[in-house]
Amino acid sequence: MNMEFIHVADVHLGYEQYGSHERFLDFGDAFNKVVNYAIENNVDFFLISGDLFNKRNINPKTLIQATAILRRLKESGIPVIAIEGNHDRALYGDKLSWMNYLSKEGYIHLLNVKIEESGVKLNPWNERSRSGGYVEIGDVRIIGIRYYGASTSKVLEMVEDELRALRDGKFTILMLHAGMERYMPYAEGGLGYDQLSKIRNFVDYVALGHIHKHYEVGGWIFNPGSLENWNSQEVGWRKGFFHIKLKNDALEVKHIESERRPFLKEDLDIGALKTPSEIMERIKTLLNSLEIPNGCIFELNLKGSLLFDRSELRVEEIEEILKERGVLIPRVNLNVETNSMREVAEKREDVERSVLRELVRRYSQYSEILEDFVSTIMSLRRIIPEDPSAEEILSILERGIWKEEEIWDWRRAFADKKN
Ligand SMILES: [Mn+2]
């Protein structure tokens, strides 16, 4: 068997980062370059392990961009196999996602398990409905499971029998949109190695997505990282895509770094400076000491306790200085505080906590978990403005107040999504 494939994830098409059309184009370019590479190398298939799109309700130009790029793979006869990530699932109430649309229109093969009363099913690809749990290309079988958030390990457990039943001589790839615990940059319920190792006998290659950083585990679990910097925290992370060659039973793995727009990040403590003009001078000195690539994104984080009013510091002026140095997208963050601001913020949180505590105290059934309850509400309140997914909310509830003794009825979470 001689097969070659590309494995990408977290392409995030349609992301108009910092409100910039250039960034929208960057995400498209990054994807287009991988497609060029795939066509030049004449690979046998192309995997997208979730988050092709940046959001569920994409706009027309994103659809035009996506189909224009995917069409090139189609015309080159390279099948694309994909799963949905947390960013591109269907909106609640909608039966179909834009990923379903791409699948129905023949651009991709969208895979997922089918959740039925009797359990989790892996159905073969159905050309008429353009859906299925797995697809076969030559001696390779590709199985796909979409993002299930905190229930991923449960779904994996339930699909184990199906994986066992399918196991034969074919090289088996399992696509998942899930992070592994020790590679996650934040404390969110990821998969443990022991959970994946339970299916080791049935799977030869786990094609992960979700975490925007490249990692490989045990020679069989692979995460490419996103193609572009999705936020400034990711600057400096290794990212890219995999070019995999299957030669007989040997795996030749090549991780290729994606080209990204240069992204500079500088912290500057301005706490000791007494006037706005002193700060401007300090910024200019910093910029003179740096090599600033043309057309870059520059994030300048100013921090410290200000000795004058915040409004005296003109962010637009600082941004202008950055633009003069060739920066395309200047980002100036004022993480400064004055003494009075700090006190107000602390006081507000204290007041909120005590009000919540009084409210919860009225319900005697929560008396034993009073503090956990209050902390959970505070956590929820913090993430709600960021438009969290149902799974993210569930995971806060699970960590906060549901704990282990509570048995979560996972079926309930899927009940409204069955179709
Ligand atoms: Mn992502």
PDB file of all heavy atoms in Angstrom, residues 9-12 49-54 85-87 177 186 209-212 226 230 234, ligand 1:
ATOM      1  N   ALA A   9      -6.209  21.144  10.395  1.00  0.00           N
ATOM      2  CA  ALA A   9      -7.318  21.405  11.323  1.00  0.00           C
ATOM      3  C   ALA A   9      -7.331  22.897  11.636  1.00  0.00           C
ATOM      4  O   ALA A   9      -6.346  23.599  11.389  1.00  0.00           O
ATOM      5  CB  ALA A   9      -7.141  20.607  12.603  1.00  0.00           C
ATOM      6  N   ASP A  10      -8.443  23.365  12.140  1.00  0.00           N
ATOM      7  CA  ASP A  10      -8.520  24.746  12.642  1.00  0.00           C
ATOM      8  C   ASP A  10      -8.058  25.787  11.622  1.00  0.00           C
ATOM      9  O   ASP A  10      -7.166  26.589  11.881  1.00  0.00           O
ATOM     10  CB  ASP A  10      -7.722  24.862  13.953  1.00  0.00           C
ATOM     11  CG  ASP A  10      -8.274  23.914  15.004  1.00  0.00           C
ATOM     12  OD1 ASP A  10      -9.315  24.229  15.584  1.00  0.00           O
ATOM     13  OD2 ASP A  10      -7.683  22.820  15.198  1.00  0.00           O
ATOM     14  N   VAL A  11      -8.704  25.735  10.472  1.00  0.00           N
ATOM     15  CA  VAL A  11      -8.389  26.658   9.393  1.00  0.00           C
ATOM     16  C   VAL A  11      -9.034  28.029   9.672  1.00  0.00           C
ATOM     17  O   VAL A  11      -8.499  29.071   9.335  1.00  0.00           O
ATOM     18  CB  VAL A  11      -8.885  26.078   8.048  1.00  0.00           C
ATOM     19  CG1 VAL A  11      -8.517  26.990   6.900  1.00  0.00           C
ATOM     20  CG2 VAL A  11      -8.314  24.665   7.823  1.00  0.00           C
ATOM     21  N   HIS A  12     -10.200  27.990  10.294  1.00  0.00           N
ATOM     22  CA  HIS A  12     -10.905  29.210  10.736  1.00  0.00           C
ATOM     23  C   HIS A  12     -11.140  30.222   9.616  1.00  0.00           C
ATOM     24  O   HIS A  12     -10.924  31.424   9.793  1.00  0.00           O
ATOM     25  CB  HIS A  12     -10.183  29.854  11.925  1.00  0.00           C
ATOM     26  CG  HIS A  12     -10.350  29.067  13.194  1.00  0.00           C
ATOM     27  ND1 HIS A  12     -11.438  29.216  14.011  1.00  0.00           N
ATOM     28  CD2 HIS A  12      -9.590  28.076  13.737  1.00  0.00           C
ATOM     29  CE1 HIS A  12     -11.336  28.377  15.033  1.00  0.00           C
ATOM     30  NE2 HIS A  12     -10.236  27.657  14.883  1.00  0.00           N
ATOM     31  N   SER A  49      -9.671  18.251  10.242  1.00  0.00           N
ATOM     32  CA  SER A  49     -10.175  17.779  11.537  1.00  0.00           C
ATOM     33  C   SER A  49     -10.894  18.861  12.346  1.00  0.00           C
ATOM     34  O   SER A  49     -10.617  19.077  13.515  1.00  0.00           O
ATOM     35  CB  SER A  49      -9.028  17.196  12.364  1.00  0.00           C
ATOM     36  OG  SER A  49      -8.580  15.996  11.775  1.00  0.00           O
ATOM     37  N   GLY A  50     -11.846  19.519  11.701  1.00  0.00           N
ATOM     38  CA  GLY A  50     -12.716  20.445  12.419  1.00  0.00           C
ATOM     39  C   GLY A  50     -12.278  21.893  12.376  1.00  0.00           C
ATOM     40  O   GLY A  50     -11.113  22.202  12.151  1.00  0.00           O
ATOM     41  N   ASP A  51     -13.273  22.790  12.555  1.00  0.00           N
ATOM     42  CA  ASP A  51     -13.046  24.240  12.503  1.00  0.00           C
ATOM     43  C   ASP A  51     -12.479  24.693  11.159  1.00  0.00           C
ATOM     44  O   ASP A  51     -11.530  25.480  11.109  1.00  0.00           O
ATOM     45  CB  ASP A  51     -12.148  24.724  13.660  1.00  0.00           C
ATOM     46  CG  ASP A  51     -12.873  24.754  15.003  1.00  0.00           C
ATOM     47  OD1 ASP A  51     -14.064  24.401  15.042  1.00  0.00           O
ATOM     48  OD2 ASP A  51     -12.237  25.106  16.009  1.00  0.00           O
ATOM     49  N   LEU A  52     -13.102  24.221  10.084  1.00  0.00           N
ATOM     50  CA  LEU A  52     -12.769  24.801   8.776  1.00  0.00           C
ATOM     51  C   LEU A  52     -13.197  26.266   8.802  1.00  0.00           C
ATOM     52  O   LEU A  52     -12.519  27.139   8.308  1.00  0.00           O
ATOM     53  CB  LEU A  52     -13.501  24.052   7.649  1.00  0.00           C
ATOM     54  CG  LEU A  52     -13.390  24.692   6.266  1.00  0.00           C
ATOM     55  CD1 LEU A  52     -11.946  24.710   5.764  1.00  0.00           C
ATOM     56  CD2 LEU A  52     -14.286  23.994   5.252  1.00  0.00           C
ATOM     57  N   PHE A  53     -14.365  26.497   9.435  1.00  0.00           N
ATOM     58  CA  PHE A  53     -14.876  27.869   9.543  1.00  0.00           C
ATOM     59  C   PHE A  53     -14.665  28.410  10.943  1.00  0.00           C
ATOM     60  O   PHE A  53     -14.585  27.661  11.911  1.00  0.00           O
ATOM     61  CB  PHE A  53     -16.369  27.902   9.215  1.00  0.00           C
ATOM     62  CG  PHE A  53     -16.687  27.585   7.784  1.00  0.00           C
ATOM     63  CD1 PHE A  53     -17.552  26.551   7.471  1.00  0.00           C
ATOM     64  CD2 PHE A  53     -16.121  28.325   6.756  1.00  0.00           C
ATOM     65  CE1 PHE A  53     -17.848  26.249   6.144  1.00  0.00           C
ATOM     66  CE2 PHE A  53     -16.413  28.032   5.431  1.00  0.00           C
ATOM     67  CZ  PHE A  53     -17.284  26.991   5.125  1.00  0.00           C
ATOM     68  N   ASN A  54     -14.656  29.715  11.026  1.00  0.00           N
ATOM     69  CA  ASN A  54     -14.462  30.364  12.316  1.00  0.00           C
ATOM     70  C   ASN A  54     -15.753  30.491  13.106  1.00  0.00           C
ATOM     71  O   ASN A  54     -15.731  30.654  14.310  1.00  0.00           O
ATOM     72  CB  ASN A  54     -13.847  31.752  12.114  1.00  0.00           C
ATOM     73  CG  ASN A  54     -13.427  32.372  13.425  1.00  0.00           C
ATOM     74  OD1 ASN A  54     -12.658  31.778  14.176  1.00  0.00           O
ATOM     75  ND2 ASN A  54     -13.947  33.544  13.737  1.00  0.00           N
ATOM     76  N   GLY A  85     -16.004  21.054  13.908  1.00  0.00           N
ATOM     77  CA  GLY A  85     -15.406  21.443  15.180  1.00  0.00           C
ATOM     78  C   GLY A  85     -16.401  22.237  15.996  1.00  0.00           C
ATOM     79  O   GLY A  85     -17.566  22.383  15.598  1.00  0.00           O
ATOM     80  N   ASN A  86     -15.965  22.768  17.105  1.00  0.00           N
ATOM     81  CA  ASN A  86     -16.879  23.567  17.930  1.00  0.00           C
ATOM     82  C   ASN A  86     -17.278  24.862  17.229  1.00  0.00           C
ATOM     83  O   ASN A  86     -18.330  25.414  17.514  1.00  0.00           O
ATOM     84  CB  ASN A  86     -16.260  23.878  19.296  1.00  0.00           C
ATOM     85  CG  ASN A  86     -14.820  24.360  19.210  1.00  0.00           C
ATOM     86  OD1 ASN A  86     -14.041  23.855  18.408  1.00  0.00           O
ATOM     87  ND2 ASN A  86     -14.467  25.317  20.034  1.00  0.00           N
ATOM     88  N   HIS A  87     -16.460  25.309  16.266  1.00  0.00           N
ATOM     89  CA  HIS A  87     -16.776  26.576  15.605  1.00  0.00           C
ATOM     90  C   HIS A  87     -17.712  26.435  14.420  1.00  0.00           C
ATOM     91  O   HIS A  87     -18.290  27.415  13.990  1.00  0.00           O
ATOM     92  CB  HIS A  87     -15.493  27.272  15.144  1.00  0.00           C
ATOM     93  CG  HIS A  87     -14.754  27.934  16.252  1.00  0.00           C
ATOM     94  ND1 HIS A  87     -14.866  29.268  16.525  1.00  0.00           N
ATOM     95  CD2 HIS A  87     -13.928  27.424  17.189  1.00  0.00           C
ATOM     96  CE1 HIS A  87     -14.115  29.569  17.566  1.00  0.00           C
ATOM     97  NE2 HIS A  87     -13.529  28.471  17.992  1.00  0.00           N
ATOM     98  N   HIS A 177     -12.223  16.111  16.917  1.00  0.00           N
ATOM     99  CA  HIS A 177     -11.962  17.507  17.254  1.00  0.00           C
ATOM    100  C   HIS A 177     -11.963  17.598  18.772  1.00  0.00           C
ATOM    101  O   HIS A 177     -12.984  17.837  19.396  1.00  0.00           O
ATOM    102  CB  HIS A 177     -13.024  18.421  16.636  1.00  0.00           C
ATOM    103  CG  HIS A 177     -12.653  19.875  16.679  1.00  0.00           C
ATOM    104  ND1 HIS A 177     -11.749  20.438  15.807  1.00  0.00           N
ATOM    105  CD2 HIS A 177     -13.033  20.876  17.503  1.00  0.00           C
ATOM    106  CE1 HIS A 177     -11.607  21.722  16.082  1.00  0.00           C
ATOM    107  NE2 HIS A 177     -12.369  22.012  17.118  1.00  0.00           N
ATOM    108  N   TYR A 186      -5.505  25.759  28.475  1.00  0.00           N
ATOM    109  CA  TYR A 186      -6.401  26.197  29.541  1.00  0.00           C
ATOM    110  C   TYR A 186      -6.970  24.959  30.224  1.00  0.00           C
ATOM    111  O   TYR A 186      -6.938  23.864  29.685  1.00  0.00           O
ATOM    112  CB  TYR A 186      -7.536  27.056  28.984  1.00  0.00           C
ATOM    113  CG  TYR A 186      -8.092  26.510  27.688  1.00  0.00           C
ATOM    114  CD1 TYR A 186      -9.105  25.561  27.682  1.00  0.00           C
ATOM    115  CD2 TYR A 186      -7.567  26.932  26.461  1.00  0.00           C
ATOM    116  CE1 TYR A 186      -9.588  25.058  26.504  1.00  0.00           C
ATOM    117  CE2 TYR A 186      -8.044  26.417  25.270  1.00  0.00           C
ATOM    118  CZ  TYR A 186      -9.059  25.490  25.305  1.00  0.00           C
ATOM    119  OH  TYR A 186      -9.527  24.981  24.141  1.00  0.00           O
ATOM    120  N   GLY A 209      -7.812  17.725  15.900  1.00  0.00           N
ATOM    121  CA  GLY A 209      -7.861  19.170  15.726  1.00  0.00           C
ATOM    122  C   GLY A 209      -8.306  19.742  17.056  1.00  0.00           C
ATOM    123  O   GLY A 209      -8.562  18.977  17.991  1.00  0.00           O
ATOM    124  N   HIS A 210      -8.415  21.032  17.135  1.00  0.00           N
ATOM    125  CA  HIS A 210      -8.965  21.759  18.285  1.00  0.00           C
ATOM    126  C   HIS A 210      -7.914  22.608  19.000  1.00  0.00           C
ATOM    127  O   HIS A 210      -8.135  23.790  19.220  1.00  0.00           O
ATOM    128  CB  HIS A 210      -9.641  20.833  19.302  1.00  0.00           C
ATOM    129  CG  HIS A 210     -10.480  21.574  20.323  1.00  0.00           C
ATOM    130  ND1 HIS A 210     -11.305  22.617  19.980  1.00  0.00           N
ATOM    131  CD2 HIS A 210     -10.623  21.433  21.661  1.00  0.00           C
ATOM    132  CE1 HIS A 210     -11.913  23.069  21.074  1.00  0.00           C
ATOM    133  NE2 HIS A 210     -11.509  22.383  22.101  1.00  0.00           N
ATOM    134  N   ILE A 211      -6.798  22.002  19.374  1.00  0.00           N
ATOM    135  CA  ILE A 211      -5.750  22.791  20.008  1.00  0.00           C
ATOM    136  C   ILE A 211      -4.890  23.388  18.890  1.00  0.00           C
ATOM    137  O   ILE A 211      -4.491  22.675  17.973  1.00  0.00           O
ATOM    138  CB  ILE A 211      -4.886  21.892  20.933  1.00  0.00           C
ATOM    139  CG1 ILE A 211      -5.771  21.217  21.981  1.00  0.00           C
ATOM    140  CG2 ILE A 211      -3.784  22.719  21.601  1.00  0.00           C
ATOM    141  CD1 ILE A 211      -6.517  22.163  22.885  1.00  0.00           C
ATOM    142  N   HIS A 212      -4.638  24.678  18.971  1.00  0.00           N
ATOM    143  CA  HIS A 212      -4.012  25.380  17.847  1.00  0.00           C
ATOM    144  C   HIS A 212      -2.490  25.259  17.819  1.00  0.00           C
ATOM    145  O   HIS A 212      -1.802  26.079  17.240  1.00  0.00           O
ATOM    146  CB  HIS A 212      -4.439  26.853  17.854  1.00  0.00           C
ATOM    147  CG  HIS A 212      -5.889  27.032  17.501  1.00  0.00           C
ATOM    148  ND1 HIS A 212      -6.496  28.258  17.402  1.00  0.00           N
ATOM    149  CD2 HIS A 212      -6.854  26.120  17.216  1.00  0.00           C
ATOM    150  CE1 HIS A 212      -7.769  28.101  17.063  1.00  0.00           C
ATOM    151  NE2 HIS A 212      -8.017  26.811  16.947  1.00  0.00           N
ATOM    152  N   SER A 226      -3.380  25.139  14.317  1.00  0.00           N
ATOM    153  CA  SER A 226      -4.077  25.963  13.316  1.00  0.00           C
ATOM    154  C   SER A 226      -3.044  26.495  12.321  1.00  0.00           C
ATOM    155  O   SER A 226      -1.851  26.443  12.576  1.00  0.00           O
ATOM    156  CB  SER A 226      -4.793  27.125  14.012  1.00  0.00           C
ATOM    157  OG  SER A 226      -3.855  27.947  14.663  1.00  0.00           O
ATOM    158  N   TRP A 230      -4.599  32.540  15.774  1.00  0.00           N
ATOM    159  CA  TRP A 230      -6.008  32.849  16.015  1.00  0.00           C
ATOM    160  C   TRP A 230      -6.160  33.920  17.099  1.00  0.00           C
ATOM    161  O   TRP A 230      -7.109  34.656  17.135  1.00  0.00           O
ATOM    162  CB  TRP A 230      -6.751  31.567  16.385  1.00  0.00           C
ATOM    163  CG  TRP A 230      -8.225  31.693  16.397  1.00  0.00           C
ATOM    164  CD1 TRP A 230      -9.039  31.856  15.307  1.00  0.00           C
ATOM    165  CD2 TRP A 230      -9.081  31.678  17.536  1.00  0.00           C
ATOM    166  NE1 TRP A 230     -10.346  31.937  15.712  1.00  0.00           N
ATOM    167  CE2 TRP A 230     -10.393  31.834  17.076  1.00  0.00           C
ATOM    168  CE3 TRP A 230      -8.849  31.543  18.910  1.00  0.00           C
ATOM    169  CZ2 TRP A 230     -11.487  31.870  17.938  1.00  0.00           C
ATOM    170  CZ3 TRP A 230      -9.940  31.568  19.770  1.00  0.00           C
ATOM    171  CH2 TRP A 230     -11.246  31.735  19.278  1.00  0.00           C
ATOM    172  N   GLU A 234      -1.213  32.745  20.852  1.00  0.00           N
ATOM    173  CA  GLU A 234      -0.666  31.636  20.051  1.00  0.00           C
ATOM    174  C   GLU A 234       0.635  31.991  19.325  1.00  0.00           C
ATOM    175  O   GLU A 234       1.247  31.120  18.704  1.00  0.00           O
ATOM    176  CB  GLU A 234      -1.719  31.181  19.027  1.00  0.00           C
ATOM    177  CG  GLU A 234      -2.997  30.692  19.679  1.00  0.00           C
ATOM    178  CD  GLU A 234      -4.068  30.310  18.663  1.00  0.00           C
ATOM    179  OE1 GLU A 234      -3.824  30.420  17.445  1.00  0.00           O
ATOM    180  OE2 GLU A 234      -5.158  29.902  19.091  1.00  0.00           O
TER     181      GLU A 234
HETATM  182 MN    MN B   1     -10.207  25.886  16.482  1.00  0.00          MN
END
